[in-house]
Amino acid sequence: MIHIPAGLADLVAGAKSIAALTGAGVSAESGISTFRDAHGLWSRFNPDEVATREAFLRDPVKVWDWYAERRVQIALAEPHAGHYALVEMERRSREFALVTQNIDEMHRRAGTKRLIELHGSISRVKCFDEDVVVDEWDATGEVPPRCPQCGSRLRPDVVWFGESLPIDALGEAIAAAQRCDVFISVGTSGLVEPAASLPFEALRARAAIIEVNPEETPVSPFVRYALRAPAGEALPALVRAAWPGSELIGG
Ligand code: OAD
């Protein structure tokens, strides 16, 4: 049973504005692979071969199939107690925003309302040439399928290496980091920009940083509190300590 210091519970319960940033680690206990852990995706696959525009131009079938496999893994997964604890945190707090680098929609499925998706969503596809989201296309069996408007190939609506983040989402994320007084970093290695800079934006605005991660990260030296435990244990414990009587699914 993880111990939550009284000062931490008071800090969260008394926050005027909470911003949370999540990474792949928050979904690890749902059975979704992280990227940089010992058995993470980037230990088995080269991102240059599956997560860049150049890779798609070189071998669109390989890239499409790689995301199709991940889509299956994600479809079979369920949100866990950590995702639900963040829903309860949103319900209890005065102001809340959840910024995620994940493309798995677990936070949305759990019920988070104010969700900012920085890296897109694997459940959507868009036109490679025109960059517009496409909802329906002809099932000709061709892989990847073609855009019904312009005939170019469809691709997952996710951010690849070397691409810009969706400008609105990034603006909202920076604003949330700058206005919060408590910033909670959960399950991210903090190695990929611009998400990695968000806790430092919050620090500059004098927010207290809390980290939920079994491992230390570049933000660790700057945190007020670190919970070195899996998100599925730490987040329900944190919410229950901040707001005794919280009703937590799975926690
Ligand atoms: P990483 O795989 O880089 O980091 C996952 C972090 O989660 C590590 O710090 C782990 O220690 C931590 N972790 C593992 N299990 C955990 C658990 N049960 N509870 C809490 N933390 C746990 O994933 P991200 O930081 O999300 O981008 O990676 C950032 C971006 O790099 C991704 O969005 C993706 C990737 O390349 C793109 O694809 C553009």
Side-chain angles (χ1 to χ4, degrees), residues 23-25 28-29 34-37 42 101-102 119 159 161 187-190 192 212-215 217 229-231:
E29 291 152 273
T34 60
F35 295 95
R36 295 176 185 78
D37 291 300
W42 297 156
Q101 300 164 86
N102 299 344
H119 291 170
V159 175
F161 287 98
T188 177
S189 58
V192 174
V212 176
N213 195 319
E215 307 292 333
T217 73

Side-chain angles (χ1 to χ4, degrees), residues 22-30 33-37 40-42 47 51 66-67 70 80 100-103 119 158-163 165 185-193 195 211-218 227 229-235:
T22 62
V26 79
S27 293
E29 291 152 273
S30 290
S33 308
T34 60
F35 295 95
R36 295 176 185 78
D37 291 300
L41 288 168
W42 297 156
W66 192 75
Y67 280 93
R70 293 190 60 206
H80 63 70
T100 189
Q101 300 164 86
N102 299 344
I103 58 174
H119 291 170
V158 299
V159 175
W160 283 331
F161 287 98
E163 292 187 314
L165 273 62
S185 175
V186 185
T188 177
S189 58
L191 295 173
V192 174
E193 293 292 358
E211 181 171 54
V212 176
N213 195 319
E215 307 292 333
E216 296 206 349
T217 73
L227 297 177
E233 285 173 36
L235 290 172

Side-chain angles (χ1 to χ4, degrees), residues 116 147 189 197 229 237 248:
I116 302 164
C147 172
S189 58
S197 290
L248 296 177

